[in-house]
Amino acid sequence: MDAAAKARFDLISDNLAEILNPELIESILVEGRNPRVYWGTATTGRPHTGYFVAALKIAQLLASGCEVVVLLADIHAFLDNLKAPLELVENRAKYYRKIITAILESVGVPTEKLEFVLGSSYQKSPDYVMDVYRLSSLVSEHDAKKAGAEIVKQTSNAPLSGLLYPILQVLDEEYLKCDAELGGMDQRKLFAAATEWLPKIGYRKRAHLVTPMVAGLSGGKMSSSEQDSKIDLLDPPETISKKIRKAEAAPKVVEENGVIALVEFILLPAAELKGTKEFRVERREGEPLVYTNIQQLREDYANDVLTPQLLKAAVTAALTSLMAPIQEAYQASPEWQEITLKAYPPPVVEKKQKKVKDKGTRFPGANKQQELPERPKQ
């Protein structure tokens, strides 16, 4: 591999947790071809700050000359234990397209080369459906459950749709004509399944670019369905501040620290993309703390040089600034606001009906029409 191809490969592999079958990417670069990469997202709950991880990686892929396809997986959203009812799926897909474009533009990434594809635009075609049947006949229930274990909601007596979900995602690699798929560490089992399943029906295996998972603000994985774990991309500054203040960040504890994770996986990479890779922590006394890599920050936090209070204040300021263009784009678009109301309608709160107690007829103030019968005259 020559120097130019190696530089492109280094950019493609930067900030990833892992690459499965990297030799497939290397051979494409040696050919001088642009790798075609797809990233899919099921259009379920409202996207949160964790989506910056994929967006920042997409920015690097575009910079390296890759063709990038964003799959708005509307049918997947419905299959995942009915997380998105059919009547809401269409508007949720429109919402996702708006928010993903706004994320990329907020970090200065040109989006005209980005290709958006709606899953239902091809997943109902006769060829695709036949391939679903073909793969379903070759994949066991055990293997389908294992592949989707971390991405499909697991319940007792789960609907059959959850077993179809990973089969559809594997087939998407072929029907989107990609060379690689981008996704989080929670999809690794499915990626491993894809390399095994596709050759069974005569299709080539693909490479997989695996991004790290961002810890949630309450510990564990940041999730659209866990309100306390995430910051919505349209949260106003006061909500961002409140959520970060409440976030779990024990002094000197670096692991499973969602506030540090925001710096590592979002704020530092976003700053680098904008041209200056640094994270500044202002202090009342002394010079500000300036970090250009996460290891410096981790060491200072472990030694209590950087306290939770200082870190939270700096993260709040940096994240609010990063998300400001998304807020501005939303406020300037009545169309987007209308889509949001249709995609995520506010819950209908039913008023409780006041129960009228029947106290009978022998109490003060009873209905005078229900008078007691007169006593017979003596």
Side-chain angles (χ1 to χ4, degrees):
M1 190 160 45
D2 61 26
K6 186 178 185 310
R8 292 181 71 192
F9 181 79
D10 288 346
L11 189 54
I12 290 168
S13 57
D14 189 37
N15 290 331
L16 291 176
E18 185 180 8
I19 300 184
L20 304 180
N21 305 116
E23 68 281 357
L24 298 177
I25 299 288
E26 290 172 335
S27 63
I28 291 167
L29 294 174
V30 168
E31 290 172 21
R33 187 161 64 82
N34 293 330
R36 182 174 170 85
V37 182
Y38 109 78
W39 174 69
T41 177
T43 52
T44 54
R46 286 169 58 136
H48 48 73
T49 47
Y51 280 65
F52 267 107
V53 175
L56 292 166
K57 189 64 237 177
I58 287 170
Q60 288 185 310
L61 294 174
L62 290 169
S64 70
C66 291
E67 298 173 10
V68 180
V69 182
V70 174
L71 172 65
L72 302 172
D74 52 345
I75 289 182
H76 287 76
F78 172 70
L79 290 177
D80 189 359
N81 210 25
L82 307 184
K83 281 185 181 177
L86 282 175
E87 61 270 19
L88 299 180
V89 161
E90 182 182 354
N91 283 301
R92 288 193 177 182
K94 291 177 182 176
Y95 179 89
Y96 268 65
R97 178 168 185 155
K98 290 279 188 185
I99 199 91
I100 290 164
T101 301
I103 296 171
L104 289 164
E105 290 176 348
S106 75
V107 289
V109 177
T111 55
E112 61 271 7
K113 290 185 179 180
L114 208 57
E115 183 182 343
F116 285 92
V117 176
L118 196 62
S120 56
S121 68
Y122 67 89
Q123 289 167 346
K124 295 186 283 188
S125 70
D127 288 347
Y128 187 92
V129 172
M130 194 63 220
D131 275 344
V132 171
Y133 294 154
R134 289 170 66 203
L135 210 48
S136 297
S137 71
L138 299 171
V139 175
S140 69
E141 176 191 5
H142 171 271
D143 288 350
K145 276 185 177 178
K146 180 182 176 183
E150 294 186 51
I151 54 172
V152 180
K153 188 175 181 181
Q154 303 294 306
T155 59
S156 59
N157 196 26
L160 184 61
S161 58
L163 299 178
L164 288 176
Y165 188 110
I167 287 173
L168 266 67
Q169 185 168 337
V170 166
L171 287 173
D172 290 339
E173 295 184 1
E174 173 64 24
Y175 279 79
L176 291 171
K177 304 301 177 190
C178 74
D179 301 301
E181 182 178 356
L182 172 69
M185 184 60 79
D186 57 342
Q187 300 189 61
R188 194 187 186 286
K189 289 177 182 176
L190 196 148
F191 292 162
T195 61
E196 180 187 343
W197 295 356
L198 282 178
K200 287 183 177 182
I201 54 173
Y203 298 138
R204 63 188 173 94
K205 66 181 181 180
R206 270 70 177 185
H208 294 90
L209 313 178
V210 187
T211 58
M213 298 305 296
V214 180
L217 297 179
S218 55
K221 171 185 167 184
M222 188 176 286
S223 168
S224 294
S225 58
E226 294 289 336
Q227 290 299 321
D228 291 340
S229 76
K230 65 162 190 169
I231 294 172
D232 189 293
L233 288 166
L234 292 179
D235 276 343
E238 59 271 20
T239 303
I240 296 170
S241 177
K242 182 179 177 182
K243 286 184 176 180
I244 291 177
R245 277 201 312 272
K246 289 173 63 180
E248 293 182 16
K252 302 183 182 181
V253 178
V254 173
E255 301 305 322
E256 294 292 318
N257 188 318
V259 184
I260 291 178
L262 288 172
V263 180
E264 180 175 4
F265 299 117
I266 298 172
L267 297 174
L268 272 176
E272 182 177 21
L273 200 60
K274 289 182 174 184
T276 306
K277 186 180 180 181
E278 67 173 32
F279 175 69
R280 297 176 68 87
V281 179
E282 300 293 339
R283 296 187 290 180
R284 288 183 180 178
E285 297 179 5
E287 294 294 315
L289 300 170
V290 181
Y291 299 101
T292 56
N293 66 68
I294 198 63
Q295 193 54 41
Q296 289 177 313
L297 187 146
R298 285 171 171 266
E299 288 175 6
D300 277 3
Y301 193 86
N303 294 322
D304 214 28
V305 174
L306 176 61
T307 64
Q309 291 78 13
L310 285 172
L311 175 64
K312 286 183 176 184
V315 167
T316 298
L319 198 58
T320 301
S321 174
L322 180 62
M323 290 168 58
I326 302 174
Q327 290 276 353
E328 290 167 9
Y330 178 76
Q331 296 299 334
S333 174
E335 179 196 5
W336 188 358
Q337 294 166 34
E338 185 180 345
I339 288 169
T340 304
L341 283 174
K342 290 178 179 177
Y344 303 98
V348 177
V349 179
E350 294 184 7
K351 290 184 178 180
K352 289 185 178 180
Q353 296 293 327
K354 192 172 182 181
K355 193 173 181 181
V356 179
K357 292 183 180 179
D358 184 4
K359 298 179 181 178
T361 57
R362 295 181 178 274
F363 72 96
N367 192 330
K368 290 182 178 178
Q369 292 179 351
Q370 297 177 339
E371 293 180 352
L372 297 175
E374 292 184 6
R375 289 187 179 182
K377 292 181 180 179
Q378 298 294 327

